[in-house]
Amino acid sequence: MPGVYRLAFTAPEIARTVQPGQFVHLRVGSTHDPLLRRPFGVHDVDRECGTVSILFQVVGRGTAILAEVRPGGVLDVLGPLGRGFTLPAPALPVALVAGGLGIAPLAFLLRRLAAAGIKGSLFQGARTAGLLLGAEETVPGFKRRLATDDGTAGHRGSVVDLFTASLVAGYRYAYVYAAGPYPMLRALATRMREYRLEGEVSLEERMACGLGACLCCSTGVQSDSGTGYARVCADGPVFPVREVAWS
Ligand code: FES
């Protein structure tokens, strides 16, 4: 895909322990400019080879520098960090809802769920067919449903509309996992509340330390006892949908 890169690096310890939904924090250059590390959800691991993959889109100077990394290059990587997705008991039908590059962390989760014998549906949306990453990949036990804004593949419209249509048609899911742009996740959370569905979302937020110390990644959360703030890097990036105080 234009402007989107898949980067695999050797990090056996991370590959051995990382869970779907967790992230790595990368220093993108060998100097202190740019100063801040960048967080990337883990897209895939190969435990035998000890490799970890991320997917990223070039959106600024940091990711542009990262796109220039060549085989044999050395990266400074912290991880695995954060709280990942909860795996349900096997055999429950689950739904995964991915918008845009939200497919990056969900693809890792999808493979883990399938390996555990869990079945369900993957709803994947993008602006246009050429941006539906991995759409041709088949995963045992999972049906892939596609949506594009321009109708060039699958349902014409949003992935949340496609997911809602399946609920209207009578499909039910024991658990929903989602990742993608914030407005999409907020719309999905509304539908899930209407249909009393439980699940988790992976939130994206600008980060600095990535370790829970600086509080720059705070997001609103809610519980029976009221509202407050949580750190996306340390308390998330995965949160139960009902705990997010959507803005
Ligand atoms: Fe510092 Fe999350 S990035 S607390």
Side-chain angles (χ1 to χ4, degrees):
M1 286 165 48
V4 176
Y5 292 78
R6 182 178 193 272
L7 174 70
F9 51 88
T10 305
E13 192 63 22
I14 297 175
R16 197 173 56 76
T17 56
V18 67
Q19 296 299 319
Q22 290 189 295
F23 69 96
V24 290
H25 215 199
L26 261 71
R27 188 185 294 285
V28 296
S30 53
T31 68
H32 287 295
D33 181 30
L35 182 63
L36 296 180
R37 292 171 178 270
R38 300 291 194 280
F40 299 95
V42 170
H43 172 56
D44 199 9
V45 298
D46 184 330
R47 283 183 169 164
E48 265 176 39
C49 298
T51 54
V52 177
S53 302
I54 60 170
L55 275 185
F56 65 94
Q57 187 163 22
V58 174
V59 291
R61 212 164 76 78
T63 43
I65 293 171
L66 200 57
E68 295 298 317
V69 173
R70 291 291 171 261
V74 177
L75 289 166
D76 180 339
V77 184
L78 284 178
L81 298 175
R83 198 181 73 159
F85 291 106
T86 306
L87 296 191
L92 296 175
V94 299
L96 280 66
V97 185
L101 274 192
I103 191 62
L106 289 186
F108 180 23
L109 174 68
L110 182 64
R111 291 182 201 111
R112 279 286 167 88
L113 292 172
I118 295 167
K119 298 184 182 355
S121 296
L122 167 65
F123 298 86
Q124 183 178 359
R127 285 201 317 277
T128 188
L131 300 176
L132 284 167
L133 209 109
E136 67 295 332
E137 185 188 351
T138 56
V139 178
F142 277 84
K143 197 183 285 182
R144 192 183 293 253
R145 312 277 310 277
L146 304 176
T148 48
D149 293 349
D150 63 2
T152 46
H155 167 81
R156 184 191 195 105
S158 81
V159 69
V160 175
D161 289 345
L162 178 62
F163 175 68
T164 306
S166 85
L167 296 175
V168 171
Y171 289 95
R172 288 295 176 268
Y173 307 98
Y175 214 66
V176 179
Y177 301 96
Y182 191 89
M184 174 221 130
L185 295 178
R186 185 175 50 204
L188 179 69
T190 302
R191 291 289 166 275
M192 288 175 62
R193 205 166 41 243
E194 288 167 8
Y195 284 85
R196 298 175 188 275
L197 293 170
E198 294 289 332
E200 294 172 336
V201 289
S202 177
L203 296 184
E204 287 180 17
E205 193 54 72
R206 283 184 181 278
M207 293 183 189
C209 72
L211 298 167
C214 70
L215 305 184
C216 84
C217 63
S218 296
T219 193
V221 290
Q222 57 190 6
S223 66
D224 292 342
S225 53
T227 58
Y229 288 93
R231 301 157 302 175
V232 171
C233 68
D235 303 312
V238 174
F239 291 90
V241 175
R242 63 183 142 73
E243 285 184 15
V244 179
W246 300 97
S247 58

Short mmCIF file of all heavy atoms in Angstrom, two decimals, residues 104-154:
data_model
loop_
_atom_site.label_atom_id
_atom_site.label_comp_id
_atom_site.label_asym_id
_atom_site.label_seq_id
_atom_site.Cartn_x
_atom_site.Cartn_y
_atom_site.Cartn_z
N ALA A 104 -3.80 -3.65 12.01
CA ALA A 104 -2.44 -4.04 12.41
C ALA A 104 -2.44 -4.86 13.71
O ALA A 104 -1.98 -6.00 13.71
CB ALA A 104 -1.54 -2.82 12.52
N PRO A 105 -2.96 -4.34 14.82
CA PRO A 105 -2.96 -5.16 16.04
C PRO A 105 -3.99 -6.29 15.99
O PRO A 105 -3.79 -7.34 16.59
CB PRO A 105 -3.30 -4.15 17.14
CG PRO A 105 -4.01 -3.03 16.46
CD PRO A 105 -3.42 -2.96 15.07
N LEU A 106 -5.09 -6.08 15.26
CA LEU A 106 -6.14 -7.11 15.23
C LEU A 106 -5.71 -8.34 14.44
O LEU A 106 -6.17 -9.45 14.71
CB LEU A 106 -7.44 -6.53 14.67
CG LEU A 106 -8.16 -5.55 15.58
CD1 LEU A 106 -9.50 -5.14 14.99
CD2 LEU A 106 -8.38 -6.11 16.98
N ALA A 107 -4.81 -8.17 13.46
CA ALA A 107 -4.34 -9.33 12.70
C ALA A 107 -3.57 -10.28 13.61
O ALA A 107 -3.68 -11.50 13.49
CB ALA A 107 -3.46 -8.86 11.54
N PHE A 108 -2.80 -9.73 14.52
CA PHE A 108 -2.06 -10.55 15.50
C PHE A 108 -3.05 -11.28 16.40
O PHE A 108 -2.94 -12.49 16.65
CB PHE A 108 -1.13 -9.61 16.30
CG PHE A 108 -0.28 -10.27 17.34
CD1 PHE A 108 0.05 -11.62 17.27
CD2 PHE A 108 0.23 -9.53 18.39
CE1 PHE A 108 0.86 -12.21 18.25
CE2 PHE A 108 1.03 -10.09 19.37
CZ PHE A 108 1.34 -11.44 19.30
N LEU A 109 -4.05 -10.55 16.88
CA LEU A 109 -5.09 -11.16 17.74
C LEU A 109 -5.83 -12.26 16.97
O LEU A 109 -6.09 -13.34 17.52
CB LEU A 109 -6.07 -10.08 18.19
CG LEU A 109 -7.29 -10.58 18.97
CD1 LEU A 109 -6.88 -11.13 20.33
CD2 LEU A 109 -8.32 -9.46 19.14
N LEU A 110 -6.16 -11.96 15.73
CA LEU A 110 -6.92 -12.91 14.90
C LEU A 110 -6.19 -14.25 14.80
O LEU A 110 -6.79 -15.32 14.98
CB LEU A 110 -7.12 -12.30 13.51
CG LEU A 110 -7.92 -13.09 12.50
CD1 LEU A 110 -9.36 -13.24 12.95
CD2 LEU A 110 -7.88 -12.40 11.14
N ARG A 111 -4.89 -14.20 14.56
CA ARG A 111 -4.12 -15.45 14.43
C ARG A 111 -4.08 -16.20 15.75
O ARG A 111 -4.16 -17.42 15.78
CB ARG A 111 -2.70 -15.13 13.93
CG ARG A 111 -2.70 -14.64 12.50
CD ARG A 111 -1.30 -14.37 11.98
NE ARG A 111 -1.39 -13.47 10.84
CZ ARG A 111 -0.97 -12.21 10.85
NH1 ARG A 111 -0.40 -11.71 11.91
NH2 ARG A 111 -1.12 -11.46 9.79
N ARG A 112 -3.96 -15.46 16.87
CA ARG A 112 -3.93 -16.12 18.19
C ARG A 112 -5.28 -16.77 18.49
O ARG A 112 -5.35 -17.88 19.01
CB ARG A 112 -3.62 -15.09 19.29
CG ARG A 112 -2.17 -14.77 19.44
CD ARG A 112 -1.43 -15.94 20.13
NE ARG A 112 0.01 -15.77 20.00
CZ ARG A 112 0.75 -15.07 20.87
NH1 ARG A 112 0.19 -14.53 21.93
NH2 ARG A 112 2.04 -14.94 20.67
N LEU A 113 -6.36 -16.07 18.18
CA LEU A 113 -7.71 -16.62 18.43
C LEU A 113 -7.91 -17.88 17.59
O LEU A 113 -8.39 -18.90 18.09
CB LEU A 113 -8.78 -15.58 18.09
CG LEU A 113 -8.86 -14.35 19.00
CD1 LEU A 113 -9.83 -13.33 18.42
CD2 LEU A 113 -9.27 -14.72 20.41
N ALA A 114 -7.54 -17.79 16.31
CA ALA A 114 -7.73 -18.94 15.42
C ALA A 114 -6.90 -20.13 15.89
O ALA A 114 -7.36 -21.27 15.87
CB ALA A 114 -7.36 -18.56 13.99
N ALA A 115 -5.67 -19.86 16.37
CA ALA A 115 -4.81 -20.94 16.86
C ALA A 115 -5.41 -21.60 18.09
O ALA A 115 -5.17 -22.78 18.36
CB ALA A 115 -3.42 -20.40 17.17
N ALA A 116 -6.22 -20.84 18.85
CA ALA A 116 -6.87 -21.39 20.05
C ALA A 116 -8.20 -22.05 19.71
O ALA A 116 -8.93 -22.47 20.61
CB ALA A 116 -7.07 -20.28 21.08
N GLY A 117 -8.54 -22.10 18.44
CA GLY A 117 -9.78 -22.77 18.02
C GLY A 117 -11.02 -21.90 18.16
O GLY A 117 -12.14 -22.39 18.06
N ILE A 118 -10.83 -20.60 18.37
CA ILE A 118 -11.98 -19.70 18.51
C ILE A 118 -12.46 -19.28 17.12
O ILE A 118 -11.65 -19.07 16.22
CB ILE A 118 -11.57 -18.47 19.36
CG1 ILE A 118 -11.24 -18.96 20.78
CG2 ILE A 118 -12.67 -17.42 19.40
CD1 ILE A 118 -10.55 -17.95 21.63
N LYS A 119 -13.78 -19.17 16.99
CA LYS A 119 -14.35 -18.83 15.69
C LYS A 119 -15.06 -17.48 15.75
O LYS A 119 -15.41 -17.01 16.83
CB LYS A 119 -15.36 -19.90 15.26
CG LYS A 119 -14.74 -21.29 15.08
CD LYS A 119 -15.78 -22.24 14.57
CE LYS A 119 -15.29 -23.67 14.39
NZ LYS A 119 -13.93 -24.00 14.59
N GLY A 120 -15.29 -16.90 14.58
CA GLY A 120 -16.01 -15.62 14.57
C GLY A 120 -15.92 -14.93 13.23
O GLY A 120 -15.71 -15.57 12.20
N SER A 121 -16.10 -13.62 13.27
CA SER A 121 -16.09 -12.82 12.05
C SER A 121 -15.14 -11.64 12.20
O SER A 121 -15.03 -11.05 13.29
CB SER A 121 -17.49 -12.26 11.75
OG SER A 121 -18.38 -13.31 11.50
N LEU A 122 -14.47 -11.31 11.11
CA LEU A 122 -13.65 -10.10 11.07
C LEU A 122 -14.33 -9.11 10.14
O LEU A 122 -14.53 -9.40 8.95
CB LEU A 122 -12.24 -10.42 10.55
CG LEU A 122 -11.39 -9.20 10.15
CD1 LEU A 122 -11.09 -8.34 11.37
CD2 LEU A 122 -10.09 -9.64 9.48
N PHE A 123 -14.69 -7.96 10.67
CA PHE A 123 -15.25 -6.87 9.87
C PHE A 123 -14.12 -5.88 9.63
O PHE A 123 -13.56 -5.33 10.59
CB PHE A 123 -16.40 -6.20 10.61
CG PHE A 123 -17.56 -7.12 10.89
CD1 PHE A 123 -17.56 -7.93 12.02
CD2 PHE A 123 -18.62 -7.19 10.01
CE1 PHE A 123 -18.62 -8.79 12.27
CE2 PHE A 123 -19.68 -8.05 10.25
CZ PHE A 123 -19.68 -8.86 11.38
N GLN A 124 -13.78 -5.68 8.37
CA GLN A 124 -12.64 -4.82 8.05
C GLN A 124 -13.06 -3.71 7.11
O GLN A 124 -13.66 -3.98 6.05
CB GLN A 124 -11.53 -5.67 7.40
CG GLN A 124 -10.28 -4.86 7.12
CD GLN A 124 -9.16 -5.72 6.52
OE1 GLN A 124 -9.32 -6.92 6.35
NE2 GLN A 124 -8.04 -5.09 6.22
N GLY A 125 -12.76 -2.49 7.47
CA GLY A 125 -13.15 -1.36 6.64
C GLY A 125 -11.97 -0.48 6.28
O GLY A 125 -10.95 -0.44 6.98
N ALA A 126 -12.10 0.21 5.14
CA ALA A 126 -11.07 1.16 4.70
C ALA A 126 -11.74 2.14 3.74
O ALA A 126 -12.88 1.95 3.33
CB ALA A 126 -9.92 0.44 4.02
N ARG A 127 -10.97 3.17 3.35
CA ARG A 127 -11.55 4.16 2.44
C ARG A 127 -11.85 3.55 1.08
O ARG A 127 -12.86 3.82 0.47
CB ARG A 127 -10.58 5.35 2.26
CG ARG A 127 -10.55 6.29 3.45
CD ARG A 127 -10.02 7.66 3.05
NE ARG A 127 -8.87 7.59 2.17
CZ ARG A 127 -7.61 7.42 2.58
NH1 ARG A 127 -7.35 7.29 3.86
NH2 ARG A 127 -6.61 7.38 1.73
N THR A 128 -10.89 2.71 0.59
CA THR A 128 -11.04 2.12 -0.74
C THR A 128 -10.38 0.74 -0.76
O THR A 128 -9.62 0.38 0.15
CB THR A 128 -10.40 3.06 -1.79
OG1 THR A 128 -10.70 2.60 -3.09
CG2 THR A 128 -8.89 3.18 -1.62
N ALA A 129 -10.67 -0.06 -1.80
CA ALA A 129 -10.24 -1.46 -1.84
C ALA A 129 -8.72 -1.62 -1.67
O ALA A 129 -8.26 -2.53 -0.99
CB ALA A 129 -10.69 -2.09 -3.15
N GLY A 130 -7.96 -0.70 -2.28
CA GLY A 130 -6.50 -0.81 -2.23
C GLY A 130 -5.93 -0.61 -0.84
O GLY A 130 -4.75 -0.88 -0.60
N LEU A 131 -6.75 -0.14 0.09
CA LEU A 131 -6.28 0.10 1.45
C LEU A 131 -6.73 -0.99 2.42
O LEU A 131 -6.54 -0.87 3.63
CB LEU A 131 -6.76 1.47 1.94
CG LEU A 131 -6.28 2.67 1.12
CD1 LEU A 131 -6.90 3.96 1.64
CD2 LEU A 131 -4.76 2.77 1.15
N LEU A 132 -7.35 -2.05 1.90
CA LEU A 132 -7.80 -3.16 2.76
C LEU A 132 -6.64 -4.13 2.94
O LEU A 132 -6.49 -5.08 2.18
CB LEU A 132 -9.00 -3.86 2.13
CG LEU A 132 -10.34 -3.14 2.24
CD1 LEU A 132 -11.36 -3.77 1.31
CD2 LEU A 132 -10.85 -3.15 3.68
N LEU A 133 -5.85 -3.85 3.92
CA LEU A 133 -4.63 -4.62 4.12
C LEU A 133 -4.89 -6.08 4.49
O LEU A 133 -5.65 -6.34 5.42
CB LEU A 133 -3.84 -3.96 5.23
CG LEU A 133 -2.37 -4.17 5.09
CD1 LEU A 133 -1.71 -2.87 4.69
CD2 LEU A 133 -1.84 -4.69 6.37
N GLY A 134 -4.29 -7.01 3.76
CA GLY A 134 -4.41 -8.44 4.08
C GLY A 134 -5.78 -9.01 3.79
O GLY A 134 -6.13 -10.08 4.30
N ALA A 135 -6.59 -8.31 2.98
CA ALA A 135 -7.97 -8.73 2.75
C ALA A 135 -8.06 -10.11 2.11
O ALA A 135 -9.07 -10.80 2.24
CB ALA A 135 -8.69 -7.70 1.88
N GLU A 136 -6.98 -10.53 1.43
CA GLU A 136 -7.01 -11.82 0.74
C GLU A 136 -6.63 -12.97 1.66
O GLU A 136 -6.81 -14.13 1.31
CB GLU A 136 -6.10 -11.79 -0.50
CG GLU A 136 -4.61 -11.68 -0.23
CD GLU A 136 -4.18 -10.38 0.44
OE1 GLU A 136 -4.86 -9.34 0.25
OE2 GLU A 136 -3.19 -10.39 1.18
N GLU A 137 -6.12 -12.67 2.84
CA GLU A 137 -5.66 -13.72 3.74
C GLU A 137 -6.85 -14.46 4.36
O GLU A 137 -7.80 -13.83 4.82
CB GLU A 137 -4.82 -13.09 4.87
CG GLU A 137 -4.20 -14.10 5.80
CD GLU A 137 -3.53 -13.43 7.01
OE1 GLU A 137 -3.43 -12.19 7.02
OE2 GLU A 137 -3.16 -14.15 7.93
N THR A 138 -6.82 -15.78 4.35
CA THR A 138 -7.89 -16.53 5.01
C THR A 138 -7.38 -17.05 6.35
O THR A 138 -6.23 -17.47 6.46
CB THR A 138 -8.35 -17.72 4.14
OG1 THR A 138 -7.22 -18.53 3.85
CG2 THR A 138 -9.01 -17.25 2.86
N VAL A 139 -8.24 -16.99 7.34
CA VAL A 139 -7.88 -17.45 8.68
C VAL A 139 -8.91 -18.50 9.09
O VAL A 139 -10.11 -18.22 9.06
CB VAL A 139 -7.88 -16.27 9.68
CG1 VAL A 139 -7.56 -16.75 11.09
CG2 VAL A 139 -6.89 -15.21 9.24
N PRO A 140 -8.47 -19.71 9.46
CA PRO A 140 -9.41 -20.78 9.78
C PRO A 140 -10.39 -20.37 10.87
O PRO A 140 -10.00 -19.82 11.90
CB PRO A 140 -8.50 -21.92 10.29
CG PRO A 140 -7.15 -21.59 9.77
CD PRO A 140 -7.07 -20.12 9.60
N GLY A 141 -11.68 -20.62 10.61
CA GLY A 141 -12.71 -20.33 11.63
C GLY A 141 -13.25 -18.92 11.58
O GLY A 141 -14.17 -18.58 12.32
N PHE A 142 -12.66 -18.07 10.72
CA PHE A 142 -13.10 -16.67 10.68
C PHE A 142 -13.58 -16.29 9.28
O PHE A 142 -12.94 -16.61 8.28
CB PHE A 142 -11.97 -15.72 11.10
CG PHE A 142 -11.87 -15.59 12.59
CD1 PHE A 142 -11.17 -16.53 13.33
CD2 PHE A 142 -12.54 -14.57 13.26
CE1 PHE A 142 -11.10 -16.45 14.70
CE2 PHE A 142 -12.49 -14.48 14.64
CZ PHE A 142 -11.77 -15.42 15.37
N LYS A 143 -14.71 -15.62 9.27
CA LYS A 143 -15.26 -15.09 8.03
C LYS A 143 -14.87 -13.62 7.95
O LYS A 143 -15.05 -12.87 8.93
CB LYS A 143 -16.78 -15.22 8.05
CG LYS A 143 -17.44 -15.10 6.70
CD LYS A 143 -18.93 -15.16 6.83
CE LYS A 143 -19.43 -16.57 7.10
NZ LYS A 143 -20.91 -16.62 7.17
N ARG A 144 -14.31 -13.19 6.81
CA ARG A 144 -13.89 -11.80 6.67
C ARG A 144 -14.96 -11.04 5.90
O ARG A 144 -15.33 -11.43 4.80
CB ARG A 144 -12.55 -11.71 5.96
CG ARG A 144 -11.90 -10.34 6.02
CD ARG A 144 -10.60 -10.31 5.24
NE ARG A 144 -9.54 -11.12 5.79
CZ ARG A 144 -8.45 -10.64 6.42
NH1 ARG A 144 -8.30 -9.35 6.57
NH2 ARG A 144 -7.52 -11.45 6.86
N ARG A 145 -15.47 -9.96 6.47
CA ARG A 145 -16.47 -9.13 5.82
C ARG A 145 -15.85 -7.76 5.56
O ARG A 145 -15.29 -7.17 6.49
CB ARG A 145 -17.71 -8.98 6.73
CG ARG A 145 -18.24 -10.30 7.31
CD ARG A 145 -19.15 -11.02 6.36
NE ARG A 145 -20.18 -10.14 5.84
CZ ARG A 145 -21.32 -9.87 6.49
NH1 ARG A 145 -21.55 -10.37 7.67
NH2 ARG A 145 -22.22 -9.09 5.93
N LEU A 146 -15.98 -7.26 4.34
CA LEU A 146 -15.28 -6.03 3.96
C LEU A 146 -16.24 -4.86 3.76
O LEU A 146 -17.38 -5.05 3.31
CB LEU A 146 -14.50 -6.27 2.66
CG LEU A 146 -13.48 -7.42 2.69
CD1 LEU A 146 -12.85 -7.59 1.31
CD2 LEU A 146 -12.41 -7.19 3.74
N ALA A 147 -15.75 -3.69 4.05
CA ALA A 147 -16.51 -2.46 3.79
C ALA A 147 -15.55 -1.39 3.29
O ALA A 147 -14.42 -1.28 3.77
CB ALA A 147 -17.18 -1.97 5.07
N THR A 148 -15.99 -0.64 2.28
CA THR A 148 -15.18 0.49 1.80
C THR A 148 -16.08 1.71 1.64
O THR A 148 -17.25 1.59 1.26
CB THR A 148 -14.52 0.18 0.43
OG1 THR A 148 -15.51 -0.36 -0.45
CG2 THR A 148 -13.39 -0.80 0.57
N ASP A 149 -15.51 2.87 1.91
CA ASP A 149 -16.29 4.11 1.81
C ASP A 149 -16.79 4.32 0.39
O ASP A 149 -17.89 4.83 0.17
CB ASP A 149 -15.44 5.32 2.22
CG ASP A 149 -15.09 5.27 3.71
OD1 ASP A 149 -15.68 4.45 4.43
OD2 ASP A 149 -14.22 6.06 4.13
N ASP A 150 -15.94 3.94 -0.62
CA ASP A 150 -16.31 4.21 -2.01
C ASP A 150 -16.96 3.01 -2.70
O ASP A 150 -17.23 3.06 -3.91
CB ASP A 150 -15.09 4.69 -2.80
CG ASP A 150 -13.99 3.62 -2.87
OD1 ASP A 150 -14.20 2.51 -2.34
OD2 ASP A 150 -12.93 3.92 -3.44
N GLY A 151 -17.16 1.90 -1.98
CA GLY A 151 -17.84 0.75 -2.56
C GLY A 151 -17.00 -0.08 -3.51
O GLY A 151 -17.52 -0.94 -4.21
N THR A 152 -15.67 0.12 -3.53
CA THR A 152 -14.82 -0.64 -4.46
C THR A 152 -14.59 -2.08 -3.98
O THR A 152 -14.08 -2.91 -4.74
CB THR A 152 -13.46 0.05 -4.67
OG1 THR A 152 -12.94 0.44 -3.39
CG2 THR A 152 -13.60 1.27 -5.55
N ALA A 153 -14.92 -2.38 -2.74
CA ALA A 153 -14.88 -3.77 -2.25
C ALA A 153 -15.88 -3.91 -1.12
O ALA A 153 -16.00 -3.02 -0.27
CB ALA A 153 -13.48 -4.13 -1.75
N GLY A 154 -16.61 -5.01 -1.14
CA GLY A 154 -17.55 -5.30 -0.06
C GLY A 154 -18.67 -4.28 0.06
O GLY A 154 -19.08 -3.63 -0.91
#
